[in-house]
Amino acid sequence: MASSKTTRSRDVKLLGLAASGGVAVGRVLRLDEHGRYQFYYIGITAGQVRNEITRLHQAFKEARVQMEEIQDRLARELGYKHSYILDAHLLMLEDKRLMTELEQEIRSRRINAEWAVRDVTDRAVEAYRHVHDQYLRERASDIEDVTTRLLAILSGHAKFDLSKLDEDVIVVACDIWPSTVAELDFNRVLGFATDAGGMTSHAAIIARALRIPAVVGLHEVTRLIRTGDTIIVDGGTGEIILRPTRPVIRQYAEKRKRDVARLAIPIAQPSEPAETIDGVRIRLRANVELSTEIESLALFGAEGIGLYRSEYIFLNRLPELPGEDEQYLIYARLAEATGEAGASIRVFDLGGDKLTLEGYKEEQNPALGLRAIRLSLKAEDIFRTQLRAILRASSHGRLRIVLPLISTIPELRQARAIIDLVKREMADRGIVYDAEIPIGVMIEVPAAAMMADLFAREVDFLSIGTNDLIQYLLAVDRANENVAHLYQPLHPAVLRTISFLVRAAKSARVPIELCGEMASDPIHAIVLIGLGIRTLSLAPASIPLIKNAVRSIELARVRSLIKDAMKLASAAEVEEMLARELPRQAPRFFAAWPSRG
Ligand code: PEP
Ligand code: MG
């Protein structure tokens, strides 16, 4: 749980989950959630009444200016006969009775201006909704429109084009949806801080991929901070400091410098092999969400793409769907950019905590609902379009198809039958594709893990998705900060399941790899290698660090350590043992690695 305490007279500290390392100091850009502006009830003192009323007047004035500008534009572009549309809005902003009522509300109930606006306008909307005259009834939406504008102004919320920020900002929001993150100008985003979210929420994953400091699960940061405030985000400790004093800012600026220096030292070069001291070669591939990341693969020394999260193509465009040609160009680019090492295209994993298709929203329990392959099998047209695009692109290089969230063998067979059908149709039309394109399943559901031996007989490879596997194995929502302490990658049940999967794959002689976030953490990555995983797929920016960890260990010793770890009773015991043993076994790397406390 996030907790707050005061460190000095002005610095307010909040504690959340350290989702992406590094320190950021800067000014806040607070985003609203799902297009609605945030506002809160704040009780005020008698001395603050005047200030609140002044804020109210200023907000009305600003709203009038904005409305007049919009009206002028309407008049210019559509002609004067359409500019009347905003007359009602302007009348409301000039309504003296409304202003008096709002002032009285603030004075008598001692509440903030936002709350007064919301309460009074809610009552007005309610009254309009009950009148018979349709014209008058429609006035209710005018009131909502003006109210939204007023609340936006009062909460310090300007209208931003997120892709064109003109200053560096720390983005603060209730939750940051993948679509919002993708829209942001990454060169300008210094850090993230969110009320919601767990370590494997997509915002956290993207923040780590971009090496942007992030703290999630703060519960109330949006309530305590406004756009323009200064804030410090410490993604290493999970601390946020609101409105810090100068000495605190200086202290963190120093820490930031040290962090940057530390990050700069212990990383392996792209040319150095990911090989343990006793000569075992580990393959480090990239997890890719955004096509802009392709350029960074060579920079970080990735051996191809182990997971392309294709659903990110949908960002910023639902309900419009990406067409076959558009997808084909993206997949062909991935095939060409990854050469011999190739790329695994995971078919759309929509639903769950991600985006979903129109008409499929609102499930009571989306993580257990129509998600990933289940949705693809239901929306078969969309699935087929994607398969055609992947197959066409497979003629440009080495692509593989990965099926997410498979839970039954019949589901796999159904998906394979559709793939075969699409292949036949393409062959009939003389379209070239890789007839031998490898097909794999993601092992993310405990039922699939238990059946791994049978799955292994029907696929070309297995790919363990630990983000979901841990969520479903331990019954812990991966994005829920209230149970984040129970989301334990080192839970002996997780280790035992992975060990079981490695053995099943080995006896079926089918390659097995792993692409969850566990691979991005040096300690977890070593555990996975000790369990027998030889191919890891992770955020490209984390590859040099993990490679350095790999190069610092002797696999034979790590293996016996992990064998013992699997017999322990809890994640805490495993962590304790690793914290004791790894610095002894691999002092060059782990003696310097920060303990989790
Ligand atoms: C996983 O579940 O581990 C995985 C890699 O898929 P995602 O995080 O996209 O659900
Ligand atoms: Mg997954």
Side-chain angles (χ1 to χ4, degrees):
M1 289 280 282
S3 57
S4 67
K5 60 181 187 220
T6 304
T7 52
R8 300 170 77 101
S9 53
R10 280 179 57 214
D11 311 321
V12 177
K13 232 181 215 188
L14 295 181
L15 193 59
L17 299 170
S20 174
V23 169
V25 183
R27 273 151 58 88
V28 165
L29 165 62
R30 203 184 79 179
L31 302 182
D32 57 300
E33 193 189 25
H34 318 298
R36 293 184 66 93
Y37 295 103
Q38 298 287 331
F39 61 94
Y40 299 93
Y41 171 93
I42 300 174
I44 56 170
T45 61
Q48 289 170 319
V49 165
R50 249 177 93 136
N51 184 40
E52 234 25 54
I53 290 179
T54 309
R55 284 182 66 229
L56 183 71
H57 281 268
Q58 280 167 349
F60 267 69
K61 199 166 150 196
E62 174 61 29
R64 264 200 309 272
V65 171
Q66 290 182 9
M67 284 294 179
E68 276 161 7
E69 274 170 14
I70 299 170
Q71 197 171 42
D72 282 352
R73 219 188 69 226
L74 280 180
R76 261 195 324 275
E77 290 172 16
L78 301 176
Y80 279 98
K81 69 177 190 300
H82 288 287
S83 61
Y84 78 91
I85 295 169
L86 294 178
D87 283 353
H89 294 62
L90 281 163
L91 277 177
M92 181 176 159
L93 289 168
E94 278 153 18
D95 185 343
K96 292 215 167 54
R97 272 205 334 240
L98 173 64
M99 181 54 89
T100 311
E101 195 179 343
L102 287 168
E103 285 177 2
Q104 263 167 9
E105 199 81 1
I106 292 173
R107 231 180 252 121
S108 60
R109 290 177 58 203
R110 301 264 171 84
I111 54 175
N112 55 325
E114 286 91 332
W115 205 257
V117 168
R118 184 75 269 184
D119 262 9
V120 169
T121 55
D122 267 358
R123 288 201 292 269
V125 167
E126 199 48 30
Y128 275 109
R129 291 221 190 281
H130 290 103
V131 294
H132 285 291
D133 183 286
Q134 194 186 347
Y135 171 79
L136 281 178
R137 251 201 335 267
E138 282 169 4
R139 285 279 325 271
S141 63
D142 295 345
I143 299 173
E144 283 285 19
D145 195 359
V146 174
T147 304
T148 307
R149 187 164 295 272
L150 285 170
L151 289 173
I153 295 166
L154 281 166
S155 59
H157 209 302
K159 255 254 162 248
F160 281 102
D161 176 353
L162 295 174
S163 64
K164 290 193 196 91
L165 302 173
D166 53 14
E167 63 171 328
D168 292 349
V169 292
I170 292 179
V171 176
V172 174
C174 275
D175 198 358
I176 300 176
W177 292 75
S179 55
T180 315
V181 179
E183 219 186 327
L184 288 165
D185 175 355
F186 299 135
N187 298 321
R188 290 294 196 188
V189 177
L190 303 173
F192 291 117
T194 63
D195 288 342
M199 292 297 286
T200 59
S201 61
H202 283 80
I205 292 175
I206 295 183
R208 279 196 289 278
L210 295 164
R211 285 202 161 191
I212 293 176
V215 176
V216 301
L218 284 155
H219 291 279
E220 55 173 357
V221 66
T222 51
R223 189 176 70 75
L224 297 171
I225 201 136
R226 291 192 179 148
T227 292
D229 284 348
T230 300
I231 184 180
I232 295 173
V233 174
D234 187 339
T237 61
E239 278 178 337
I240 295 287
I241 300 175
L242 313 181
R243 296 180 275 276
T245 52
R246 271 169 203 274
V248 171
I249 292 180
R250 268 201 299 277
Q251 182 192 328
Y252 274 87
E254 277 304 309
K255 185 165 183 206
R256 194 179 129 71
K257 263 195 229 154
R258 284 199 303 276
D259 260 19
V260 171
R262 188 179 64 79
L263 282 175
I265 304 164
I267 58 171
Q269 296 306 311
S271 57
E272 292 177 310
E275 200 172 281
T276 63
I277 294 173
D278 43 352
V280 179
R281 184 79 165 75
I282 306 298
R283 298 180 74 183
L284 299 178
R285 294 185 168 158
N287 285 356
V288 169
E289 286 90 39
L290 309 168
S291 54
T292 48
E293 285 176 281
I294 295 175
E295 279 110 55
S296 69
L297 300 186
L299 180 72
F300 294 118
E303 295 181 67
I305 295 175
L307 172 68
Y308 176 67
R309 290 182 161 103
S310 67
E311 62 278 4
Y312 278 71
I313 301 172
F314 281 86
L315 295 182
N316 295 328
R317 39 185 314 161
L318 283 173
E320 189 202 336
L321 299 174
E324 181 183 321
D325 287 346
E326 185 187 343
Q327 288 187 56
Y328 157 72
L329 289 174
I330 295 171
Y331 305 145
R333 201 170 147 225
L334 295 177
E336 277 157 12
T338 49
E340 272 301 294
S344 299
I345 313 284
R346 179 181 64 191
V347 299
F348 300 138
D349 183 355
L350 295 161
D353 70 330
K354 303 173 188 175
L355 304 155
T356 197
L357 300 172
E358 278 255 298
Y360 287 99
K361 290 186 183 122
E362 300 292 329
E363 288 186 314
Q364 275 233 325
N365 203 341
L368 302 182
L370 200 56
R371 194 196 142 180
I373 194 69
R374 301 169 182 182
L375 188 56
S376 289
L377 293 178
K378 188 115 182 164
E380 204 183 306
D381 278 359
I382 295 170
F383 188 35
R384 283 189 196 212
T385 305
Q386 178 172 36
L387 290 171
R388 271 195 304 276
I390 298 175
L391 286 166
R392 273 170 68 194
S394 69
S395 64
H396 292 262
R398 291 182 177 274
L399 292 185
R400 297 173 288 267
I401 296 175
V402 196
L403 308 170
L405 212 82
I406 290 273
S407 55
T408 69
I409 297 269
E411 213 170 28
L412 166 64
R413 290 184 183 156
Q414 195 186 344
R416 290 203 69 132
I418 296 171
I419 296 172
D420 287 342
L421 195 80
V422 172
K423 278 183 174 176
R424 276 200 302 277
E425 281 169 5
M426 288 175 64
D428 289 348
R429 286 162 55 205
I431 301 170
V432 191
Y433 63 89
D434 174 7
E436 304 297 318
I437 187 165
I439 296 169
V441 285
M442 289 196 68
I443 302 291
E444 301 181 287
V445 178
M450 294 307 295
M451 304 280 282
D453 51 336
L454 298 188
F455 274 105
R457 288 190 205 155
E458 304 199 16
V459 293
D460 300 301
F461 64 97
L462 301 175
S463 177
I464 310 176
T466 45
N467 300 340
D468 278 312
L469 184 59
I470 297 169
Q471 151 164 279
Y472 296 120
L473 193 62
L474 304 183
V476 179
D477 180 346
R478 60 191 265 184
N480 181 343
E481 69 280 7
N482 294 326
V483 285
H485 61 291
L486 294 172
Y487 190 93
Q488 299 167 341
L490 296 179
H491 192 304
V494 174
L495 306 190
R496 288 175 186 213
T497 305
I498 295 172
S499 168
F500 175 81
L501 289 168
V502 170
R503 279 180 282 128
K506 201 167 172 189
S507 53
R509 293 173 197 278
V510 161
I512 186 160
E513 51 193 67
L514 187 142
C515 59
E517 282 303 295
M518 272 185 91
S520 297
D521 177 294
I523 294 177
H524 296 171
I526 297 310
V527 169
L528 295 171
I529 293 165
L531 285 167
I533 302 283
R534 296 290 173 266
T535 303
L536 297 171
S537 191
L538 56 154
S542 303
I543 288 178
L545 182 72
I546 297 302
K547 193 193 279 184
N548 197 35
V550 168
R551 290 168 63 81
S552 72
I553 57 155
E554 209 174 307
L555 184 62
R557 292 181 70 194
V558 166
R559 272 219 324 246
S560 78
L561 186 70
I562 304 307
K563 224 171 167 178
D564 291 342
M566 277 195 289
K567 294 185 204 134
L568 295 173
S570 67
E573 285 180 24
V574 176
E575 268 176 41
E576 202 179 298
M577 183 226 226
L578 295 170
R580 194 177 56 239
E581 296 300 328
L582 282 180
R584 279 190 209 151
Q585 288 202 7
R588 186 172 66 79
F589 187 93
F590 288 103
W593 190 251
S595 99
R596 267 152 249 249

